[in-house]
Amino acid sequence: MEITWRDLMTVLHGMGFGALFMLAFTGAIAELYRMSVPGSPAIPNPRYQTLFRFYLIGMVVLAWLSVFSGAYVVYPWYRAAAPAGLADLAAYPRNLLLSSPTTSGWHRLGMEWKEHVAWIAPIAITMVAYVYATYGPSLAKHRHLHRAVFYFTLAAFVATGIAGAFGAVLNKYAPIRGGETIQLMKGN
Amino acid sequence: MASTKQTASTELPNGPGAAALLAAGIGCATMGVFTLLAEASKGINTLFSFYAPTGALSGVSTSAIVVWLVAWFALHRAWAVREVAILRVSIAAFVLLLIGFALTFPPFIGLLQVT
């Protein structure tokens, strides 16, 4: 069982950071919504508050790791220019997609959108984490601020969804392969 | 933007939260504006290529992050101990967020370039 270095880094970027960040939205959205629901306990115990603070900080770390690993590790492999006249473009995903009218849209819409919109997520979630860390459960008393924080969390989720969905499809049509081969285990 | 007043209450004012919120909106909109500029002008595109393998994305994102952090710092200094008109700040932040989404959407950028 083998994996190439570039495959491994792409998996780490997409699944290790991106997908984990995406999954974490469920908890963040649920808790931020719960705070505003009439009848729910306004002030959870201190241990729960601390846990949620660390939860949001974890999301911030995952968000920034996801965009930086994408922009500075995976993206350069994706956009590397193929030498002129090269017939097999498998090692040059961007050129491979642009070489056919049936796949060029995945680059022109998919990658062009993904690479930029993704940055909205870490900016938004950093703000959300800061505001919760500053106000804690008393955020619910600042009704408009709380509502704005909730909608920015949803916006970060949408931005992450766009980036993640296009990332998954792009990796199907033009996978990033190459680099050193790492042997994970020997087969029979 | 917001009519502000010094808070005398012991409760935390909404200023720090409003500063973070508006700065996030500014950061998102800046990301969109810089994306548009890099797409519209070859010169600006080259200028934004801070790291050649990543191309203009390196400069667009780095510059947007710098603008966001500077805006946050400045707004926080101004609003740290104040109550601000949070509804107006929220609306402004949402408009900026929408600008960020619109200007990173390639068909919309194409539409702006055509017009």
Side-chain angles (χ1 to χ4, degrees), chain A residues 64 68 70-73 75-77 79-80 108-110 112-117 119-124 126-127 130-131 134-135 138 141-142 144-145 147-149 151-152 155-156 158-159 162, chain B residues 11-18 20-21 23-25 27-28 31 35 39 51-62 65 68 72 76 83 86-87 90 93-94 97 100-101 104-107:
Chain A
W64 287 108
F68 278 115
Y72 293 98
V73 180
Y75 186 55
W77 294 328
R79 73 186 290 272
R108 295 217 167 89
L109 176 66
E112 292 282 346
W113 194 13
K114 165 189 162 61
E115 73 188 50
H116 294 110
V117 79
W119 292 87
I120 288 176
I123 292 174
T126 301
M127 179 275 288
Y130 168 80
V131 172
T134 305
Y135 293 90
S138 71
K141 292 181 197 163
H142 298 271
H144 292 301
L145 182 60
R147 195 173 292 175
V149 162
Y151 286 124
F152 262 73
V158 170
I162 293 166
Chain B
E11 196 171 287
L12 199 58
N14 65 16
L21 177 66
C28 295
M31 185 69 205
T35 300
E39 288 293 320
Y51 176 62
T54 301
L57 179 63
S58 57
V60 166
S61 55
T62 304
I65 290 169
W68 163 52
W72 191 355
H76 185 85
E83 284 290 330
I86 191 67
L87 184 59
S90 298
F94 277 113
L97 176 67
F101 268 100
T104 52
F105 186 51

Side-chain angles (χ1 to χ4, degrees), chain B residues 12-83:
Chain B
L12 199 58
N14 65 16
L21 177 66
L22 188 58
I26 291 169
C28 295
T30 307
M31 185 69 205
V33 171
F34 287 170
T35 300
L36 175 68
L37 292 174
E39 288 293 320
S41 159
K42 201 161 172 62
I44 295 174
N45 191 292
T46 307
L47 202 70
F48 272 134
S49 290
F50 293 178
Y51 176 62
T54 301
L57 179 63
S58 57
V60 166
S61 55
T62 304
S63 305
I65 290 169
V66 169
V67 169
W68 163 52
L69 293 176
V70 169
W72 191 355
F73 177 74
L75 288 166
H76 185 85
R77 282 197 66 160
W79 293 350
V81 291
R82 290 176 184 276
E83 284 290 330

